[in-house]
Amino acid sequence: MSKVFAHRGSSLNYPENTMLAFKKAEKTGCYGIELDLHMSRDGYLVVIHDETVNRTTNGRGYVKDLTKKELKKLSIKRKWFKNEKIPILDEVLEWAAKTDLIINIELKNDKIYYEGQEEAVVQKVAEYGLEDRVIYSTFNHVSVKKLKKVTTSEVAALFSKKGINPLLLVRSTRADAIHANHRVMTESLMKDCQQNGIPVRLYTLNKPAIISKWINAGLAGVITDNPELAEKILKEKQ
Ligand code: G3P
Ligand code: CA
């Protein structure tokens, strides 16, 4: 049966990649959460989607140029939720360790490569004893290979471009799973993966008809901004 992952937390109704969005996701009974990871100037693992803080906060600048202290001064730029702050990974893992959630940590290292990020995140996950409850993913396929060398946790190769053959991608990176944009996945490619024992999780499935179609096709993971809706559709099918 498909498992539901809340994309950037319960991000349809709450500000993405915030503790509030993760906590609201957990309340929906979903299987897991997905989050995005960058690195601050002073080496902290920072939970935010973009390379800069410009879109989601009241600040300006690259995450890599700001310290944890400077990042923590910023407020999330979304109506009604201005008290929310950018979390560092410790905060999410400390809370998640007390839940049953699976945590999909997407390393955002395809545009800016953060030296040492793979080792740092693997070490941090180990500090919280969450090795069996994380799935790493990244669009950077060199980083997928590196992750496979430094962790025994599941590692997924992400892609969003047409023409990529997931079987070849798994073979070349040694990834355990495929995470892909649903627009570039076909039922035939998914069957190939299933026949080869490769879990496929698709993002970002928000429309009922699309969620339903992929659940019927036996998708391993529904990555959605609306975990409540996906859980409801899933239950109706059980
Ligand atoms: O991990 C799946 C998905 O989150 C990748 O796209 O841009 O939402 O991080 P994006
Ligand atoms: Ca992501």
Side-chain angles (χ1 to χ4, degrees):
M1 205 21 116
S2 312
K3 310 285 190 197
V4 175
F5 288 77
H7 181 239
R8 312 181 195 175
S10 197
S11 61
L12 178 71
N13 296 315
Y14 303 96
E16 65 180 59
N17 282 313
T18 60
M19 289 308 300
L20 181 66
F22 300 134
K23 287 177 180 172
K24 290 288 182 183
E26 200 240 345
K27 296 251 182 294
T28 69
C30 66
Y31 182 75
I33 54 169
E34 187 262 2
L35 61 84
D36 301 292
L37 201 66
H38 288 268
M39 234 166 145
S40 69
R41 199 176 94 200
D42 46 354
Y44 282 89
L45 294 161
V46 183
V47 179
I48 185 168
H49 182 273
D50 300 356
E51 284 67 30
T52 74
V53 297
N54 304 356
R55 178 179 61 88
T56 54
T57 78
N58 61 350
R60 306 284 303 167
Y62 283 88
V63 177
K64 71 172 177 60
D65 294 334
L66 298 165
T67 61
K68 177 192 162 194
K69 200 171 168 194
E70 287 165 336
L71 288 161
K72 278 292 178 190
K73 280 189 191 145
L74 306 178
S75 298
I76 294 296
K77 198 165 63 182
R78 188 157 157 180
K79 212 178 172 186
W80 314 119
F81 300 110
K82 294 198 185 336
N83 289 336
E84 285 301 308
K85 300 284 176 195
I86 300 173
I88 59 162
L89 187 63
D90 281 270
E91 293 166 68
V92 181
L93 296 184
E94 192 183 347
W95 163 78
K98 297 177 212 137
T99 71
D100 294 326
L101 288 168
I102 301 296
I103 310 118
N104 173 198
I105 301 178
E106 183 192 342
L107 281 73
K108 281 285 182 205
N109 57 5
D110 53 317
K111 294 194 179 107
I112 294 172
Y113 183 71
Y114 301 97
E115 201 61 59
Q117 193 189 30
E118 293 93 344
E119 290 87 349
V121 65
V122 166
Q123 192 189 320
K124 189 57 72 188
V125 165
E127 278 175 33
Y128 290 90
L130 288 168
E131 295 95 327
D132 295 337
R133 281 178 43 206
V134 297
I135 302 167
Y136 298 104
S137 59
T138 169
F139 285 102
N140 179 338
H141 299 158
V142 175
S143 182
V144 169
K145 284 194 216 174
K146 188 163 181 197
L147 279 162
K148 282 299 296 172
K149 287 190 186 137
V150 297
T151 181
T152 53
S153 304
E154 187 175 338
V155 181
L158 262 163
F159 70 95
S160 63
K161 290 198 178 98
K162 270 197 179 133
I164 289 185
N165 181 318
L167 292 185
L168 293 181
L169 181 57
V170 162
R171 209 165 293 157
S172 65
T173 58
R174 308 214 172 279
D176 305 294
I178 284 294
H179 289 190
N181 187 313
H182 72 96
R183 291 191 177 86
V184 300
M185 184 52 67
T186 63
E187 291 191 37
S188 146
L189 281 177
M190 204 175 85
K191 240 180 215 125
D192 290 346
C193 289
Q194 286 168 334
Q195 280 164 3
N196 284 275
I198 303 161
V200 176
R201 304 183 185 97
L202 296 181
Y203 71 91
T204 310
L205 307 187
N206 289 337
K207 295 205 172 102
I210 296 180
I211 295 173
S212 192
K213 168 191 152 180
W214 285 111
I215 290 176
N216 291 345
L219 185 70
V222 174
I223 304 175
T224 176
D225 296 335
N226 192 346
E228 206 158 14
L229 171 69
E231 280 295 334
K232 186 169 166 268
I233 294 171
L234 196 58
K235 280 201 184 88
E236 281 165 7
K237 290 180 187 293
Q238 282 165 353

